[in-house]
Amino acid sequence: MDRLDNIVRPYAWGSTTAIPHLLGVEPSGEPQAEMWMGAHPGAPSRTARGTLVEVIDADPERELGPAAVARFGPRLPFLLKILAAGAPLSLQVHPDLEQAREGYADEERRGVPVDAPHRNYKDANHKPELICALTEFDGLCGFRAPAEAAGLLEGLGVDSLKPYAGLLRAHPEETALREVLTAVLSADPDEMAHTVAEATAACTRLGGDYAPYAGIARHYPGDPGVIAAMLLNHVRLEPGEALFLGAGIPHAYLDGLGVEIMANSDNVLRCGLTPKHVDVPELLRIVRFEAGDPGVLRPEAAPDGEEVYDTPIDEFRLSRYVLSEGGTARDLTLDTPQILLCTAGSVRAGEHELAPGQSVFVPAGEKAEVSGAGTVFRATVIV
């Protein structure tokens, strides 16, 4: 197996302390948002044999296994991350596989440069994802029931929000949510900025259920995404709890440290809380206008102490082992590729001693034993 040297992405929303604290190093004072583990061409992990992209490209069937190559092609199908949010991420959705293929082909046909700021589809893949909390973790996930969202808006006492509340109460669920999100994102920017300022003052004064939105507005003053965010469920995860974000589900991470895994894609449609491009018509094509419970996941016990986060897709499978000192070594050998990540304590993986934040890549079929006293996450695929 290969020890991974991983790149940390310094996005502006990143925490300045969470990843350094996990790694046991002094903070630099700069934001450290995501540490990527995998073979994404934008920031591939490095090994003693070269980047993980180079290692896999040299012999895909050896590294990934014949079954994974037959199912997903000659590339690692997932990207594993440590994510540290110190400020809200953009409010966003991801396409399903058919939508991604259509959108990518359309932009290729129209000659939109892949690095253009208004480009929506960087690839032809979908991007389901799972976030598992390592600390308390706040986020937004999926639409509230329209009546509940209307009540939240009405409670602010802001006159310019009353028409939105009226729409939410007057129409069936899908129509109501679509009309209000469209109206918020299409409103006159100056008028919306004034509405957001009034709503922010009210959220700050009222606190309680409004406190998360006051916090969002401090980071994105005047952004229509502040109002759009109030249409969504606010979720607080405890350590070990997780959220699965499927296609078309609007979401945003607000604060906290977690392990994130996703299909290997960059496709994001933004709804707000960002200075980046917001393509409202394409966004409305992708969003699923369905209210529902965000569905907090807790790990399910499997044989040999494995705790599995069950999701409905095959590009990734995330689980964890909580190991005790003096316990027997666990054999994690699989016919599929794996990344093993230590998040607490000290774990021995093969010949490698892993401290928190350290990881290894295990080629398909290679012997993989772990022992020690700590927590190790296992990322692999289902074939």
Side-chain angles (χ1 to χ4, degrees):
M1 64 180 69
D2 300 277
R3 181 182 288 274
L4 298 180
D5 179 16
N6 303 306
I7 293 174
V8 176
R9 310 306 295 265
Y11 305 136
W13 50 261
S15 167
T16 59
T17 59
I19 288 178
H21 178 74
L22 179 73
L23 298 177
V25 300
E26 285 296 315
S28 67
E30 299 298 316
Q32 298 190 27
E34 297 180 346
M35 184 169 71
W36 289 19
M37 290 158 279
H40 192 287
S45 299
R46 296 178 293 266
T47 78
R49 297 188 285 157
T51 70
L52 197 52
V53 171
E54 293 167 342
V55 168
I56 292 171
D57 284 350
D59 194 345
E61 290 211 353
R62 163 70 184 89
E63 304 297 331
L64 306 177
V69 172
R71 178 75 189 278
F72 302 110
R75 60 184 181 86
L76 190 66
F78 62 83
L79 177 63
L80 185 66
K81 300 178 180 180
I82 294 286
L83 183 146
L89 282 67
S90 60
L91 192 60
Q92 59 190 258
V93 296
H94 306 302
D96 64 25
L97 192 54
E98 182 179 354
Q99 291 165 338
R101 288 170 175 168
E102 290 174 353
Y104 181 78
D106 175 65
E107 290 185 319
E108 288 289 283
R109 190 165 48 248
R110 291 189 287 117
V112 182
V114 73
D115 58 351
H118 62 286
R119 174 105 183 200
N120 293 315
Y121 297 94
K122 310 295 186 184
D123 52 69
N125 200 17
H126 62 166
K127 193 188 176 187
E129 60 190 43
L130 177 80
I131 183 78
C132 177
L134 295 178
T135 65
E136 283 194 345
F137 194 98
D138 279 5
L140 306 172
C141 179
F143 286 109
R144 298 174 182 268
E148 183 184 346
L152 198 67
L153 294 178
E154 289 164 346
L156 293 172
V158 175
D159 286 344
S160 53
L161 291 177
K162 290 179 180 177
Y164 301 140
L167 287 171
L168 289 166
R169 294 195 184 279
H171 298 289
E173 178 179 288
E174 180 178 352
T175 303
L177 295 170
R178 178 182 292 275
E179 288 193 1
V180 172
L181 184 63
T182 303
V184 168
L185 298 181
S186 305
D188 177 87
D190 291 335
E191 292 179 4
M192 178 52 66
H194 180 72
T195 296
V196 172
E198 286 192 274
T200 300
C203 287
T204 302
R205 182 180 70 254
L206 293 167
D209 289 344
Y210 292 98
Y213 307 101
I216 291 169
R218 284 194 294 273
H219 290 283
Y220 299 98
D223 193 305
V226 174
I227 306 303
M230 298 183 73
L231 302 176
L232 307 186
N233 298 295
H234 174 245
V235 185
R236 171 163 290 177
L237 300 178
E238 296 299 323
E241 295 180 334
L243 285 174
F244 173 72
L245 292 313
I249 303 299
H251 62 278
Y253 303 144
L254 304 181
D255 182 72
L257 181 71
V259 174
E260 185 183 34
I261 190 168
M262 61 188 62
N264 206 352
S265 171
D266 272 340
N267 289 325
V268 176
L269 282 297
R270 295 177 177 85
C271 317
L273 309 182
T274 179
K276 295 182 180 180
H277 178 60
V278 177
D279 184 338
V280 175
E282 185 64 12
L283 172 73
L284 297 175
R285 186 177 81 90
I286 299 303
V287 172
R288 290 170 52 191
F289 291 97
E290 302 172 0
D293 185 280
V296 173
L297 294 176
R298 294 171 182 84
E300 299 178 5
D304 195 30
E306 186 180 25
E307 299 175 337
V308 181
Y309 294 91
D310 188 35
T311 63
I313 54 93
D314 295 339
E315 280 90 340
F316 61 76
R317 177 184 185 273
L318 186 70
S319 62
R320 69 175 184 178
Y321 289 82
V322 180
L323 306 174
S324 300
E325 189 67 54
T328 57
R330 307 288 176 85
D331 185 357
L332 273 56
T333 306
L334 292 175
D335 291 330
T336 50
Q338 304 180 69
I339 291 178
L340 305 179
L341 165 68
C342 176
T343 59
S346 178
V347 174
R348 185 170 183 82
E351 71 274 23
H352 301 286
E353 293 287 347
L354 302 182
Q358 296 181 336
S359 56
V360 293
F361 172 72
V362 186
E366 184 165 317
K367 184 72 171 178
E369 281 193 349
V370 296
S371 59
T375 300
V376 60
F377 279 83
R378 170 203 248 181
T380 187
V381 300
I382 298 174
V383 295

